[in-house]
């Protein structure tokens, strides 16, 4: 075992401090049945929770595998030094007031540096951290309440919020929770490193991550690759998006992509499943725990109520799942079990004719699922046990299990609302490989979300590198830089002398475009005049523009589609490449796809196909089709420019990329570039 593993699977736990938080750690260790040594350390108290205390860290029998440090931030550093000297393996630093408090206290960051120096090679979780609970081994460094139980296998959850960790342990949805940890400031042990360590435990079936921010995208990527190799899905709840992140942006790309485009692109690229709320987080983890690496959004829904069947259909349409039509064979089998009075469809209302006839119900479920490539969902609500006897509803469980075993299909039971899926029944379903869902919405949403799961072998995301001394290039200089990467451009020239404007316009050939330089947003500033047909129109346009220099270029008048192609440096996730409807439609349509560089030709084509304007690429209503090969080539060349200037680029925007029947031409270019910060 390495030191992190020794800390997470300890044979000895030291608790340093005497406050209520430390008392709670000892109390919870005793309640969970920790079988190793518990060593409280306090200079004056003889016992804590009935366990004899040691006077100091130095008085301990040997270096503990795991230590909970429940003293103030200044004393924490001294304790870490002492633990390091006696060969302690790892410690949870509970105290706050380190780097997370730097805006309130300038010495906080320095204290965190001191903490790391004092730790040396010892594993440190935190600071500003509650710690962890290992429900597999019954080992716990946790200073508060929790709601979990010992398990033999289950999911692991790592969160950047201790309070959310507590709340997740209190869930009553049957999720088998094998391990939960907060990571605090991640001064030494990062979320990805903690996840990698836990994933190596064969009893962990899936991983849930509550993330506020990613410190190292390359490390995160390596963790995902390990999870893929171990065949363990990852479910992510990412929070912390905000409009404030857009304030410093220059291009439309950064604005339309939004502050969370980078994280979404990262998770999509790596094949991890992103969810939006805690309920879906829990339900999707349950799904992953039972079905493993077999995502499926095809559903065969069965209920004994037309109202329930209709609700499933409506909610499923919103969630984005599929209800395939019943095959001829399915219809024949169902008719033999249900008779002619039942209308056969998916979702299926099998009525109440066979309710209570458990053999007939098992036959019906098998008839529906046999040969099906669907998740079978039985809508079933269990009554309150304080009002009536639920035994009749419990008796249906063997029929469901039998259908699952005979057909080999994934099978779930969906309660209409979470209240009607009791925890003890949910746990019974999970033991039998049945997915218990608490609520139709969360069930179908989790199935839809989990369908995005995929495995990757390698990726090599271009890591973010923030440049220094950035500046916005003139459009002419930006285009000259792109020209070196085989990007197709209109003929253009810059003009500073008024007398040369007409001469150059004639050389380029009418119609022309006139642009005034000096603004990143020329259209909004009134610095663009299109389709100027003659000398008089050019002069009128010049007189209306408040600019000292001008760009004159040929007018591309055979445009079929206009696209926005942009790159924005996301300092947490990488370089976000956005493809969107361009020109005046950029903000109006909000039609965009974002990916992380590098992308392949296949990725680009798939992104174009995902745009709402894709029918235009196919020759909508007999219109000519744009040259898809050259469009993809232009986007790849813009990417090549970004990669070649890795560490220098902050923003790139092409808007529009004019797509004609033969070409893809950069009509307008904005580049924000600086120097490498090596």
């Amino acid at each position: 075992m390495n030191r992190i593993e020794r800390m997470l699977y300890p044979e000895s736990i030291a608790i340093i401090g005497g406050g209520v938080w430390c008392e709670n750690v000892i109390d919870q260790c005793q309640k969970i049945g920790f079988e190793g040594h518990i060593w409280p350390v306090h200079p004056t108290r003889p016992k804590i929770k009935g366990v004899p205390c040691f006077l100091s860290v130095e008085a301990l029998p040997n270096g503990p595998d795991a230590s909970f440090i429940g003293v103030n931030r200044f004393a924490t550093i001294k304790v870490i030094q002492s633990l390091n000297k006696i060969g302690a393996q790892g410690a949870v630093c509970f105290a706050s007031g380190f780097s997370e408090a730097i805006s309130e206290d300038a010495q906080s960051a320095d204290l965190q540096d001191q903490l790391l120096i004092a730790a040396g090679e010892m594993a440190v979780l935190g600071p500003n951290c509650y710690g962890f609970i290992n429900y597999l081994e019954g080992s716990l460094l946790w200073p508060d309440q929790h709601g979990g139980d010992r398990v033999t296998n289950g999911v692991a959850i790592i969160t950047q919020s201790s309070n959310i960790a507590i709340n997740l342990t209190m869930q009553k949805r049957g999720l088998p929770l094998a391990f939960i940890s907060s990571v605090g400031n991640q001064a030494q042990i990062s979320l990805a490193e903690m996840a990698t360590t836990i994933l190596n435990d064969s009893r962990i079936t899936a991983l849930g991550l509550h993330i506020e921010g990613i410190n190292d995208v390359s490390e995160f990527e390596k963790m995902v690759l390990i999870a893929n190799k171990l065949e363990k899905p990852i479910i992510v709840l990412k929070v912390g998006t905000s409009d404030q992140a857009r304030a410093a942006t220059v291009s439309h790309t950064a604005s339309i992509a939004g502050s969370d485009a980078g994280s979404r692109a990262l998770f999509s690229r790596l094949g991890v499943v992103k969810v939006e709320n805690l309920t879906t987080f829990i339900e999707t983890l349950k799904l992953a725990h039972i079905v493993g690496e077999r995502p499926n959004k095809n559903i065969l829904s069965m209920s004994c109520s037309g109202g329930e069947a209709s609700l499933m259909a409506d909610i499923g349409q919103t969630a984005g799942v599929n209800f395939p039509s019943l095959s001829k064979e399915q219809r024949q089998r169902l008719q033999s079990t249900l008779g002619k009075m039942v209308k056969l469809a998916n979702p299926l209302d099998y009525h109440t004719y066979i309710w209570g006839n458990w053999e007939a119900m098992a036959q019906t479920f098998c008839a529906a699922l046999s040969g099906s490539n669907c998740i079978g969902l039985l809508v079933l609500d269990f009554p309150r046990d304080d009002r009536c006897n639920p035994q009749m509803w419990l008796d249906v469980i063997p029929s469901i299990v039998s259908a699952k075993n005979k057909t080999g299909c994934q099978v779930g039971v969906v309660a209409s609302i979470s209240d009607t899926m009791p925890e003890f029944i949910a746990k019974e379903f999970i033991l039998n490989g049945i997915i218990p869902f608490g609520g139709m919405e969360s069930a179908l949403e989790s199935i839809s979300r989990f369908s995005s799961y995929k495995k990757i072998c390698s990726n090599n995301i271009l890591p973010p590198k923030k440049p220094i001394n950035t500046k916005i290039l003139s459009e002419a200089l930006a285009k000259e830089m792109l020209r070196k990467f085989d990007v197709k451009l209109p003929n253009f020239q810059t003009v500073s002398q008024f007398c040369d404007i007409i001469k150059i316009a004639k050389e380029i050939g009418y119609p022309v475009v006139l642009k005034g330089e000096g603004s990143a947003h020329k259209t909004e500033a009134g610095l663009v005049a299109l389709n100027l047909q003659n000398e008089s129109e050019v002069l009128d346009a010049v007189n209306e523009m408040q600019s000292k220099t001008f760009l004159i270029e040929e007018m591309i008048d055979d445009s079929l589609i206009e696209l926005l192609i942009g790159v924005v440096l996301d300092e947490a996730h990488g370089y976000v490449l956005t493809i969107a409807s361009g020109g005046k439609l950029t903000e109006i349509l909000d039609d965009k796809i974002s990916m992380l560089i590098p992308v392949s030709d296949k990725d680009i084509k798939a992104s174009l196909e995902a745009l709402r304007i894709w029918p235009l690429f196919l020759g909508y209503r007999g219109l000519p089709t744009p040259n898809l090969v050259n469009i993809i080539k232009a986007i790849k060349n813009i990417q090549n420019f970004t990669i070649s200037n890795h560490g220098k680029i902050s923003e790139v925007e092409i808007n529009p990329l004019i797509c004609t029947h033969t070409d893809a031409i950069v009509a307008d270019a904005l580049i924000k570039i600086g120097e490498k910060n090596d």
Side-chain angles (χ1 to χ4, degrees):
M1 285 188 172
N2 61 36
R3 291 193 170 190
I4 299 178
E5 290 170 327
R6 289 280 295 275
M7 178 176 65
L8 300 182
Y9 302 87
E11 295 181 2
S12 56
I13 295 175
I15 300 93
I16 297 95
V20 65
W21 301 109
C22 294
E23 292 178 0
N24 286 342
V25 174
I26 298 172
D27 187 40
Q28 296 293 355
C29 280
Q30 293 170 334
K31 286 180 178 179
I32 205 170
F34 177 63
E35 297 177 353
H37 301 290
I38 299 175
W39 296 333
V41 176
H42 196 276
T44 61
R45 295 178 65 173
K47 291 183 179 181
I48 298 179
K49 291 293 180 177
V51 182
C53 290
F54 293 86
L55 294 177
S56 65
V57 169
E58 289 77 8
L60 292 172
N62 50 59
D65 292 330
S67 301
F68 182 87
I69 305 174
V71 296
N72 68 55
R73 57 179 178 163
F74 301 105
T76 293
I77 295 171
K78 295 178 181 178
V79 170
I80 285 283
Q81 287 174 331
S82 298
L83 286 169
N84 188 24
K85 287 179 182 178
I86 65 169
Q89 299 299 307
V92 170
C93 295
F94 177 63
S96 58
F98 290 89
S99 64
E100 86 285 353
I102 192 170
S103 60
E104 292 82 21
D105 182 3
Q107 67 174 325
S108 298
D110 183 56
L111 284 175
Q112 187 153 302
D113 291 338
Q114 292 178 40
L115 180 72
L116 292 176
I117 294 170
E121 296 299 317
M122 185 172 67
V124 173
L125 186 59
N128 186 33
C129 174
Y130 260 43
F132 65 88
I133 305 172
N134 184 339
Y135 290 110
L136 297 166
E137 301 292 336
S139 54
L140 172 154
L141 272 74
W142 195 257
D144 210 328
Q145 299 297 314
H146 68 91
D149 297 308
R150 296 285 294 273
V151 295
T152 56
N153 71 350
V155 306
I157 295 177
I158 303 175
T159 170
Q160 290 184 252
S161 166
S162 297
N163 211 49
I164 284 179
I166 294 172
N167 297 338
L168 287 170
T169 71
M170 303 293 179
Q171 57 85 26
K172 297 181 181 179
R173 291 173 172 263
L175 176 67
L177 187 56
F179 194 101
I180 192 159
S181 175
S182 61
V183 290
N185 292 4
Q186 304 179 72
Q188 185 202 77
I189 300 175
S190 67
L191 179 143
E193 188 175 11
M194 175 67 85
T196 300
T197 303
I198 298 169
L199 283 166
N200 284 315
D201 191 320
S202 61
R203 296 166 294 180
I204 299 297
T205 56
L207 175 66
L209 301 175
H210 164 259
I211 299 175
E212 294 172 4
I214 295 174
N215 295 334
D216 186 333
V217 68
S218 297
E219 182 188 39
F220 190 88
E221 180 182 7
K222 290 176 183 176
M223 179 269 293
V224 174
L225 290 171
I226 290 170
N228 289 169
K229 185 177 180 180
L230 295 171
E231 301 181 347
K232 298 179 180 182
I234 298 175
I235 315 301
V236 172
L237 174 59
K238 172 69 171 64
V239 297
T241 60
S242 67
D243 291 337
Q244 282 74 14
R246 307 181 193 184
T249 61
V250 174
S251 66
H252 286 95
T253 306
S255 177
I256 68 166
S259 57
D260 67 335
S263 65
R264 290 179 180 274
L266 174 66
F267 301 142
S268 175
R269 174 71 164 267
L270 296 180
V272 303
V273 180
K274 185 179 186 299
V275 298
E276 305 298 332
N277 57 70
L278 288 169
T279 299
T280 309
F281 184 65
I282 293 171
E283 295 295 298
T284 310
L285 280 170
K286 271 195 290 186
L287 179 61
H289 169 73
I290 294 174
V291 308
E293 293 191 304
R294 297 185 296 154
N296 189 354
K297 66 191 305 184
N298 293 323
I299 292 172
L300 202 163
S301 173
M302 298 167 282
S303 63
C304 63
S305 160
E308 291 172 344
S310 297
L311 270 175
M312 289 290 282
D314 290 348
I315 296 168
Q317 184 176 38
T318 302
V321 298
N322 303 322
F323 293 99
S325 299
L326 297 176
S327 68
K328 180 180 179 181
E329 292 78 12
Q330 285 173 305
R331 289 176 178 274
Q332 290 174 344
R333 291 194 300 265
L334 284 168
Q335 193 169 66
S336 68
T337 62
L338 295 175
K340 297 182 178 181
M341 295 298 292
V342 175
K343 182 178 180 181
L344 302 179
N346 184 20
L348 173 66
D349 170 16
Y350 61 82
H351 292 241
T352 56
Y353 304 130
I354 60 172
W355 181 256
N357 183 341
W358 310 129
E359 183 178 349
M361 292 189 73
Q363 290 174 355
T364 298
F365 301 153
C366 287
L369 291 173
S370 293
S372 168
N373 184 31
C374 292
I375 300 177
L377 295 183
L378 177 64
V379 180
L380 183 62
D381 293 86
F382 292 84
R384 295 172 55 136
D385 58 8
D386 61 342
R387 303 290 175 88
C388 60
N389 186 355
Q391 190 57 49
M392 179 176 284
W393 286 264
L394 296 176
D395 288 343
V396 77
I397 294 178
S399 301
I400 302 168
V401 175
S402 174
K404 171 189 174 296
N405 294 337
K406 287 181 179 179
T407 64
C409 288
Q410 300 171 9
V411 175
V413 174
V414 180
S416 301
I417 56 176
S418 61
D419 307 65
T420 53
M421 175 61 73
E423 184 178 16
F424 79 95
I425 292 176
K427 289 182 176 181
E428 181 69 20
F429 278 135
I430 288 175
L431 288 175
N432 286 281
I434 306 293
I435 315 153
F437 290 110
M440 291 180 176
E441 292 86 355
S442 58
L444 299 180
E445 179 70 12
S446 65
I447 290 170
S448 177
R449 294 286 178 169
F450 193 61
S451 69
S452 68
Y453 171 72
K454 61 180 182 288
K455 291 174 68 173
I456 58 168
C457 297
S458 61
N459 225 300
N460 300 318
I461 294 169
L462 192 68
K465 291 181 67 176
K466 185 179 180 180
I468 57 174
N469 302 324
T470 56
K471 61 181 179 180
I472 300 171
L473 302 181
S474 68
E475 183 178 350
L477 184 54
K479 286 182 173 177
E480 290 296 345
M481 292 188 74
L482 291 171
R483 191 194 301 276
K484 297 175 183 178
F485 289 82
D486 198 25
V487 173
K488 186 68 182 292
L489 301 165
N491 293 327
F492 70 90
Q493 289 190 48
T494 54
V495 186
S496 57
Q497 298 294 324
F498 185 83
C499 59
D500 293 333
I501 292 177
I502 299 303
K503 174 186 174 183
I504 292 173
K506 288 180 180 179
E507 290 176 0
I508 290 175
Y510 293 107
V512 297
V513 177
L514 181 72
K515 300 178 181 179
E517 295 194 311
S519 173
H521 302 292
K522 295 182 180 65
T523 301
E524 291 85 342
L527 296 177
V528 178
L530 303 175
N531 202 28
L532 303 177
Q533 299 288 334
N534 50 53
E535 176 180 333
S536 175
E537 291 184 6
V538 170
L539 291 175
D540 289 343
V542 169
N543 290 328
E544 291 180 6
M545 291 185 188
Q546 301 297 317
S547 182
K548 295 181 179 179
T549 58
F550 298 89
L551 188 76
I552 303 177
E553 62 185 28
E554 66 175 307
M555 178 75 189
I556 309 299
D557 55 7
D558 54 350
S559 173
L560 299 174
I561 297 173
E562 291 187 350
L563 294 175
L564 177 148
I565 313 298
V567 176
V568 175
L569 170 61
D570 182 322
E571 294 176 27
H573 307 105
Y575 293 83
V576 182
L577 172 66
T578 296
I579 302 174
S581 300
K584 295 179 180 178
L585 299 179
T586 298
E587 285 89 357
I588 295 173
L589 288 184
D590 192 30
D591 184 21
K592 61 184 182 289
I593 298 292
S594 291
M595 303 171 286
L596 287 184
I597 290 175
V599 297
S600 65
D601 290 7
K602 182 179 178 181
D603 296 328
I604 295 171
K605 185 174 185 294
S607 296
L608 292 169
E609 290 174 348
L611 294 176
R612 294 204 296 273
I613 60 169
W614 173 248
L616 297 177
F617 288 82
L618 304 177
Y620 184 69
R621 292 194 173 184
L623 292 173
T625 57
N627 192 308
L628 187 60
V629 172
N630 282 337
I631 293 171
I632 293 173
K633 179 182 176 182
I635 297 171
K636 278 293 288 292
N637 288 340
I638 293 165
Q639 172 178 265
N640 293 340
F641 166 75
T642 302
I643 294 172
S644 181
N645 290 278
H646 182 210
K648 296 180 181 179
I649 291 296
S650 178
E651 294 182 38
V652 178
E653 180 175 286
I654 309 303
N655 189 21
L657 176 72
I658 295 179
C659 307
T660 71
H661 185 60
T662 57
D663 265 316
I665 304 166
V666 172
D668 204 344
L670 181 152
I671 294 176
K672 186 177 180 181
I673 193 168
E675 304 168 18
K676 286 187 177 181
N677 186 15
D678 294 327

